[in-house]
Amino acid sequence: MKKINIAYTCNVRKPWMEDERYGEFEGPATIAAVTAALERTGASVELIDVGPDIYYQLEKRKDHIDLVFNNTEGLDEKELREAIVPFFCEHLHIPYTGSSPKTFINKMDKATAKKIVAYDGVPTARFQLMLPGDRLEDLSFPLMVKPYSEGTSIGISQKSKVHSMAELDEAVSMVHTQFNEAALVEEFLPGNEYTIGLIGNYVLPILEIDFAKIPGQPHVRDPHVKDIENPYISHLTWTEKARSYAKIAIEAHEALEVRDYNRMDFRERDGQLYFLEANVIPGVHPTEADLTNMCRHANIAHNDMIALIVHTAVQRLSPLYSERLTGKTELLEGLANVAINKAATAGTINHRGRTYTLLGNQTGVQAS
């Protein structure tokens, strides 16, 4: 079997990158684990640290690369930043994993993402975009204030929940000063937070974040909370409630036209689940990432998770790039099939002609 040549694109975190804006960049543990997982599929892997010269780096390799495994968060291009590598791959006719530039742009503009999913009936809290000096419209305190175009809880702290006009003005001004962008102001949702992931047509076990269990009883998942929360995160078995949450996530996933894999955040209020945002390039740290945690609860190891993501992309891309992919993915297919066969399953959900399989344990069955 011929080797498949995979370019692994990401932003490599350097030792001096301690500011929160580099929180989405990849450290040595993630890079080593992902590289090993890709090589396990029979691939020859080249790491590309994405910088201002990324177009040149891709262009000079365009005839050699069979597939880009894209995990790039981008640079300083605001809502365009996650679309940079997919856009250049499209232009150079290089196949790549993950979503299209359009999906990344829509997702990075959180207000636009909320409007898109709301059009398809997915509940989302009432919101508005605000700059310093703007007048608050018909929203009720408490409110949540965050940058409209950042990820990984960048720009969020416990002070992001505000209870008065004075606190609102201060939070909006802080977002504008720090990020030079409008603040997304939405009605605060007081219930538990849920994060729901998909790989292809598989829905992963839902993670539940009960803030009352976390030391200090925080209100939101800011970067500090994410650093300490893992021992306090639980997962849902597939009750009717969990299945209804999965259905909402599938609706949001399809509304945003996400490809291959995704992780979405929701919060609960009065028994109703509300969409917060999509993470179209979710973290893939070998032990700490939410997606990894979900897979672990479904009996899917990290290296199998990476294989499943790549296999999902290859299935989608093979009809378009048969000359690049034919005869190079048999080992990948075998690993993906074994991983799914080992995973616990709990039924299916049908949506608009597509069948989604629920991975994880059924009601009353404990994870091993």
Side-chain angles (χ1 to χ4, degrees), residues 231-283:
Y232 309 100
I233 292 179
S234 57
H235 74 286
L236 303 184
T237 51
W238 289 113
T239 61
E240 284 305 310
K241 171 184 169 180
R243 289 177 63 91
S244 71
Y245 286 2
K247 182 74 159 51
I248 292 172
I250 290 167
E251 291 168 351
H253 178 80
E254 292 198 0
L256 291 168
E257 301 179 67
V258 186
R259 298 191 309 218
D260 301 341
Y261 65 127
N262 186 15
R263 182 179 64 78
M264 291 160 286
D265 297 331
F266 299 82
R267 281 189 83 140
E268 188 180 31
R269 180 173 64 189
D270 299 328
Q272 176 63 61
L273 203 65
Y274 291 82
F275 173 84
L276 294 180
E277 62 182 273
N279 302 273
V280 184
I281 300 184

Side-chain angles (χ1 to χ4, degrees), residues 300-314:
I300 296 173
H302 179 264
N303 54 13
D304 285 330
M305 179 184 84
I306 300 299
L308 285 171
I309 292 169
V310 176
H311 182 246
T312 301
V314 166

Side-chain angles (χ1 to χ4, degrees), residues 219-230:
H219 304 294
V220 297
R221 292 183 85 190
D222 63 20
H224 170 68
V225 169
K226 287 187 173 181
D227 282 343
I228 66 171
E229 69 184 2
N230 266 10

Side-chain angles (χ1 to χ4, degrees), residues 86 122 128 146 169 203 210 232 246 260 305 318:
V122 176
Q128 72 177 89
K146 55 189 175 185
D169 290 343
V203 184
D210 182 347
Y232 309 100
D260 301 341
M305 179 184 84
S318 287

Side-chain angles (χ1 to χ4, degrees), residues 18-232:
E18 297 181 356
D19 187 89
E20 69 170 350
R21 67 188 294 263
Y22 301 114
E24 297 177 307
F25 286 26
E26 302 298 353
T30 299
I31 291 171
V34 171
T35 300
L38 293 172
E39 290 175 341
R40 174 174 171 263
T41 69
S44 175
V45 181
E46 179 182 9
L47 174 68
I48 299 179
D49 183 7
V50 175
D53 65 343
I54 183 56
Y55 178 81
Y56 167 73
Q57 295 298 333
L58 291 170
E59 195 276 336
K60 73 178 183 179
R61 296 171 172 84
K62 67 178 182 178
D63 295 325
H64 175 70
I65 297 173
D66 294 316
L67 180 72
V68 167
F69 181 81
N70 179 41
N71 203 230
T72 308
E73 299 293 346
L75 303 168
D76 299 315
E77 305 90 357
K78 294 299 180 186
E79 64 264 28
L80 298 178
R81 62 187 176 86
E82 289 185 352
I84 294 297
V85 167
F87 176 79
F88 288 152
C89 285
E90 295 272 3
H91 179 66
L92 295 167
H93 304 288
I94 301 172
Y96 60 95
T97 62
S99 292
S100 71
K102 177 181 74 171
T103 294
F104 281 111
I105 292 169
N106 287 338
K107 167 264 175 183
M108 283 301 298
D109 183 335
K110 294 179 182 180
T112 294
K114 286 163 71 72
K115 291 174 184 176
I116 290 171
V117 301
Y119 183 83
D120 271 12
V122 176
T124 183
R126 294 194 301 163
F127 70 96
Q128 72 177 89
L129 292 176
M130 293 186 69
L131 291 168
D134 285 352
R135 181 179 177 180
L136 181 67
E137 297 173 2
D138 186 24
L139 300 181
S140 300
F141 286 100
L143 298 169
M144 181 69 185
V145 183
K146 55 189 175 185
Y148 91 94
S149 186
E150 299 294 336
T152 317
S153 297
I154 293 171
I156 293 176
S157 72
Q158 298 308 307
K159 291 183 178 181
S160 297
K161 180 186 178 185
V162 300
H163 301 82
S164 67
M165 288 301 303
E167 291 180 351
L168 173 63
D169 290 343
E170 180 181 356
V172 170
S173 294
M174 186 175 299
V175 167
H176 187 257
T177 298
Q178 188 172 358
F179 299 99
N180 191 31
E181 63 184 63
L184 179 70
V185 179
E186 57 189 339
E187 291 184 341
F188 183 79
L189 301 167
N192 290 345
E193 188 161 321
Y194 298 88
T195 186
I196 306 176
L198 295 91
I199 299 177
N201 284 7
Y202 296 99
V203 184
L204 301 172
I206 297 172
L207 300 187
E208 179 181 53
I209 299 91
D210 182 347
F211 294 95
K213 296 179 180 178
I214 301 173
Q217 283 73 59
H219 304 294
V220 297
R221 292 183 85 190
D222 63 20
H224 170 68
V225 169
K226 287 187 173 181
D227 282 343
I228 66 171
E229 69 184 2
N230 266 10
Y232 309 100

